[in-house]
Amino acid sequence: MLGRYASLFEACPSGTADLNKFQDVKSLSSYAREPARWAISNGILQGDGKSLMPQNTCTRAQVVTFLYRYACLQESK
């Protein structure tokens, strides 16, 4: 969601993060790979260090954390 929102302001938000370091990368949908790479590269998404857990439901606290990190990212630009 944040990747699509960022695309309103950036021509093509992209990242350089290596998704293969996460053991559950194969369960990440193909359409979500580039937005996940962008979110990881920009410090918005971290997973638990070993997994991204793309099939899990986000808690309210996790969503707030993502929004906060995105807001901080925008302030730093």
Side-chain angles (χ1 to χ4, degrees):
M1 179 183 78
L2 288 175
R4 287 187 179 191
Y5 180 75
S7 70
L8 296 173
F9 306 103
E10 301 174 36
C12 182
S14 61
T16 58
D18 179 15
L19 297 179
N20 292 318
K21 72 178 188 174
F22 298 100
Q23 62 191 20
D24 59 352
V25 69
K26 291 181 180 180
S27 64
L28 186 63
S29 299
S30 60
Y31 71 88
R33 289 180 186 264
E34 193 55 40
R37 189 174 284 116
W38 168 82
I40 294 165
S41 295
N42 286 287
I44 296 168
L45 179 62
Q46 297 174 351
D48 68 359
K50 296 180 182 178
S51 302
L52 288 173
M53 302 165 285
Q55 304 301 319
N56 291 14
T57 305
C58 285
T59 66
R60 212 175 334 170
Q62 288 170 322
V63 172
V64 168
T65 301
F66 299 149
L67 293 172
Y68 176 77
R69 290 175 181 165
Y70 181 75
C72 290
L73 175 66
Q74 295 308 306
E75 284 183 10
S76 68
K77 288 185 176 185

